[in-house]
Amino acid sequence: MYQDPGALSYLIQLLIAGFLATVFWCKWVRQKIIQFFRRKKNQPPDDEQ
Amino acid sequence: MTNNKFHLLEKLGGSFRDPSGFMFKCQGELFRQVNWLSRDDYDLLMNSGLYAKLIDAGLLIPHAEVNSSYLQDKIAYKILKPILIPFVSYPYEWSFSQLKDAALTTLKIQRHALDYGMSLKDASGFNVQFWQGKPILIDTLSFERYRKGMPWVAYRQFCQFFLAPLALISYNNFSLSRLLLSSIDGIPLDLASDLLPWRTWYKLGIFLNLHLPKLMHRWLSENSIAAYIRNPEKRFSENSFQGLLDNLQGTIENLKWSPKSSRWSDYAASDLHSPAYGDHKKNTLKKFLDMVRPLSVWDLGAGTGVYSRMCASQGIFTVSGDADPLCVERNYLECKDSLEKNILPLLIDLTNPSPALGWMNLERFSLIERGPADMIVALALVHHLSISNNLPFDKIAGFLHRCSQRVVIEFVPKHDPQVQKLLSCREDIFTDYNQIGFEREFSSFFKIIESVQLDDSPRILYFMEAIR
């Protein structure tokens, strides 16, 4: 039974997609930052090289 | 079969809203006409591999293409003969878990459709039926070609039919699912938002999909929204679509409804009756079933389905109806765990059964219109209808007569402890409530084939056949 979706339905989906993409991007950035600091912590200090 | 077979077709009253096609009956058989308008979508469904995938996964009702060379209708492209569902049920008759499983099935189908370049153009609860114990999509014409970048056209319908009633049951009260009866297009989202408690504003999925639309509607007019969405097809990627489906799936999976008990949910397990009574009742029912060998049984007042399981074990398709939502829920969960294929648990209140709905009351059938059943089983029921609901015996007999030609019914006399319990808080105005009165009134509609006094109980089990 096909129902007219309405413009609001499209707007909500775009907002949800944008929100989820933002959350995903923030998680990705956070993961990269954690990986960077872990690598730096595991690197030996300069005077031991 | 004449060359003009299909000119005798009778369109189903409720099948008119979709220009892609419609259901019709011809010489007692059910068919679906696919119109030329949806030729491309139908061919894509069949040739892309999506149809085969969905059939393998048990998610879409199988069909066979019928020789349509007899067609008189110029707009008809193909005629399909789908597998017949033994009993059509509606979302307002389902338990919480049935509605949840139907919702998750719809999302699963949408995911598969995307993999094959298609999408569901509608997500109505009426497109899903229970077949062999599982939810299945019955509307083969629900699929359209996926247009890259376009949001999901069926999103709002999905939220109205599935997310809103599930959230209302989970966070509020099961009775709110009955709003689906008065809203044939699904529960309006602003109404659902108003009825949900404040704590749901902190649940991300509920906020985004139910409360946010109401806020946007309040802040923005439809024209300004349309102005924002000038080219929706350029903004909604397939990844966004998958993200939306993930969000909906996660939200629905997190919804729970598990009350500890209800008035009737523990009735079967209670030790009100002796084992001898229970065994004799089961054996007598089995004997009556063997006499008739019905193809279908309606077990009315089934509780958690103890006797329905007995009928189903004989290979009989059984509609297991009860007015207690928790009983229906437990019945369905037990059927699901045991992979039971022959039982359909449904919410049926006999004092107010589902009416006919929709345009000219032809789109959704009433309970009686979906009969008759081969046999009705009404165990430990008649005293509740008579005493608790003031229904005289002739009314009960008339109703059962409309539903089936054969009835197995248990008469519970007034001196039975259960009846005494019902009368303990009210005046006994039921002067005709006795075995003589019961047999007299039922004899106007049925012939008593056999009656059996049950062991260790004053109750009597009757097997009756209609006389007219």
Side-chain angles (χ1 to χ4, degrees), chain B residues 1 26 46 77 116 119 149 187 204 221 253 309 318 425 443 449:
Chain B
M1 189 170 69
C26 185
M46 300 305 292
Y77 170 55
Y116 290 87
S119 178
I187 298 176
L204 183 64
S221 68
E253 280 172 349
R309 262 170 269 292
T318 307
C425 298
S443 294
I449 305 296

Side-chain angles (χ1 to χ4, degrees), chain B residues 152 192 204 292 329 343:
Chain B
W152 190 21
L204 183 64
V292 175
E329 174 77 354
I343 298 180

Side-chain angles (χ1 to χ4, degrees), chain B residues 16-83:
Chain B
F16 61 89
R17 288 184 190 262
D18 188 357
S20 305
F22 57 88
M23 300 293 295
F24 66 91
K25 271 190 172 170
C26 185
Q27 295 178 355
E29 293 180 284
L30 195 66
F31 298 91
R32 183 188 292 280
Q33 176 168 306
V34 181
N35 292 339
W36 279 97
L37 183 70
S38 58
R39 182 192 65 166
D40 291 342
D41 290 333
Y42 175 76
D43 286 345
L44 184 59
L45 168 69
M46 300 305 292
N47 300 331
S48 63
L50 175 59
Y51 175 80
K53 174 73 183 177
L54 293 176
I55 296 299
D56 278 343
L59 295 172
L60 178 66
I61 197 81
H63 70 259
E65 288 183 8
V66 168
N67 185 351
S68 51
S69 57
Y70 310 124
L71 281 174
Q72 304 284 307
D73 195 341
K74 286 179 185 157
I75 65 170
Y77 170 55
K78 290 227 167 139
I79 300 290
L80 314 179
K81 190 167 193 312
I83 299 279

Side-chain angles (χ1 to χ4, degrees), chain B residues 84-127:
Chain B
L84 209 56
I85 300 286
F87 187 87
V88 172
S89 60
Y90 302 127
Y92 41 81
E93 296 169 334
W94 297 342
S95 67
F96 175 80
S97 291
Q98 283 173 304
L99 193 57
K100 186 171 171 179
D101 286 349
L104 293 172
T105 294
T106 303
L107 291 176
K108 207 186 293 188
I109 291 170
Q110 174 57 41
R111 280 190 205 281
H112 285 311
L114 276 179
D115 290 341
Y116 290 87
M118 298 201 82
S119 178
L120 281 171
K121 65 182 181 195
D122 59 350
S124 162
F126 297 118
N127 283 355

Side-chain angles (χ1 to χ4, degrees), chain B residues 288 291-292 374-376 382 397 400-401 404-411 435 437-451 460-467:
Chain B
F288 292 154
M291 280 163 69
V292 175
D374 271 356
M375 181 186 261
I376 282 185
V382 74
L400 294 176
H401 182 259
S404 182
Q405 296 287 292
R406 297 182 200 90
V407 169
V408 173
I409 185 163
E410 184 178 8
F411 176 68
Q435 187 180 350
F438 175 81
E439 289 185 3
R440 183 184 64 239
E441 297 300 340
F442 269 75
S443 294
S444 303
F445 296 91
F446 296 96
K447 179 182 166 194
I448 298 173
I449 305 296
E450 192 173 335
S451 64
I460 305 165
L461 202 58
Y462 288 88
F463 171 44
M464 303 182 186
E465 280 188 354
I467 55 174

Side-chain angles (χ1 to χ4, degrees), chain A residues 2-46:
Chain A
Y2 179 71
Q3 187 191 64
D4 174 23
L8 179 60
S9 159
Y10 288 166
L11 178 61
I12 295 293
Q13 290 179 73
L14 290 174
L15 287 174
I16 291 174
F19 174 80
L20 293 174
T22 306
V23 167
F24 178 79
W25 182 82
C26 290
K27 279 184 178 170
W28 181 83
V29 167
R30 179 173 169 268
Q31 205 175 3
K32 290 294 175 200
I33 293 171
I34 290 171
Q35 280 173 359
F36 171 76
F37 279 107
R38 270 196 192 138
R39 266 199 303 270
K40 208 169 175 193
K41 189 179 170 186
N42 292 336
Q43 228 173 12
D46 285 342

